[in-house]
Amino acid sequence: MQAPSTVEIKDANFSSLALFSGAFLCFFDLICDLVMVREFTMNKQYKSAQATIITLAISLGFQLIIVYGGVNMKLRKRVIVRELLYVILCVKPGIDAYRVVTKKPQVPNTAISPKKEMIYIRGIELFVQCIPGVFVQSIAFVTGQQTAIAAISLFSGLLTAAFISASISIEKDIGAEQRKHQADFCGFLPLKSMVKTCFISVLVLLIAFC
């Protein structure tokens, strides 16, 4: 009976590290995107600035839809406003990470669990914000915006995209529910070396995105 408890502890520790690291990267990448909007505007690259703003706005809009329509629509108005403010103030990744790490139970009258909500929000950030943002900044970097700030922002976007992709895949694979009910697709990663697995996964995806 000792082995399962040991695996569970290691699983929780990995989740804490991965989730809070991912939340930090998402916030840092957002700051880099906002800085690049300013850089694009100052260098009269208005199309790049507009494209970056559009990706951020669409990502924010989809997150608001998920939080209001798909998750918290039946809750009290005060709670709904609070949840929407988390998205608007760009602290949603950190809130989601905290709820999943502390294993907050699913609130009554919500459609999905905190973990599924986090995965949906991270998926939006990945496909609507990170990848399009990397594409826009890559074109700008190649065509002349080759500054240290541009390089840091571009690498931040690549790293964030790789980390989110790896963490979502790993979280789904190591989940006890997924391993039990989706054994044909989950349960391939070794639980005893999750830090190494995470590092290798991020590295491979980072190379792929580059």
Side-chain angles (χ1 to χ4, degrees), residues 51-149:
T52 303
I53 292 174
I54 289 172
T55 60
L56 294 175
I58 294 176
S59 175
L60 185 65
F62 275 117
Q63 291 181 50
L64 290 173
I65 291 173
I66 290 292
V67 171
Y68 178 76
V71 181
N72 297 310
M73 187 170 57
K74 296 182 180 180
L75 298 179
R76 292 178 298 176
K77 291 184 178 180
R78 180 173 60 85
V79 179
I80 295 175
V81 171
R82 183 193 65 193
E83 295 296 322
L84 294 178
L85 280 176
Y86 288 152
V87 177
I88 296 172
L89 297 176
C90 303
V91 297
K92 182 63 174 172
I95 297 296
D96 287 340
Y98 171 78
R99 288 173 176 171
V100 173
V101 169
T102 56
K103 298 181 179 180
K104 291 288 184 180
Q106 183 171 344
V107 178
N109 295 324
T110 56
I112 56 178
S113 65
K115 186 172 184 178
K116 288 184 178 179
E117 181 184 3
M118 180 201 69
I119 292 176
Y120 291 157
I121 295 295
R122 292 285 176 88
I124 291 172
E125 292 174 339
L126 175 63
F127 292 107
V128 181
Q129 180 179 332
C130 289
I131 294 179
V134 166
F135 180 74
V136 171
Q137 293 185 32
S138 297
I139 295 176
F141 190 83
V142 171
T143 57
Q145 188 67 15
Q146 299 176 356
T147 63
I149 295 177

Side-chain angles (χ1 to χ4, degrees), residues 7-58:
V7 171
E8 184 179 352
I9 292 173
K10 290 184 177 180
D11 188 3
N13 288 339
F14 165 75
S15 297
S16 303
L17 174 64
L19 294 179
F20 283 120
S21 298
F24 172 79
L25 284 175
C26 288
F27 183 76
F28 182 74
D29 185 54
L30 173 64
I31 298 299
C32 289
D33 286 343
L34 294 176
V35 171
M36 286 309 301
V37 169
R38 178 177 177 274
E39 290 291 314
F40 288 145
T41 304
M42 291 179 61
N43 289 279
K44 298 182 179 180
Q45 293 179 294
Y46 299 119
K47 290 185 178 180
S48 297
Q50 292 173 356
T52 303
I53 292 174
I54 289 172
T55 60
L56 294 175
I58 294 176

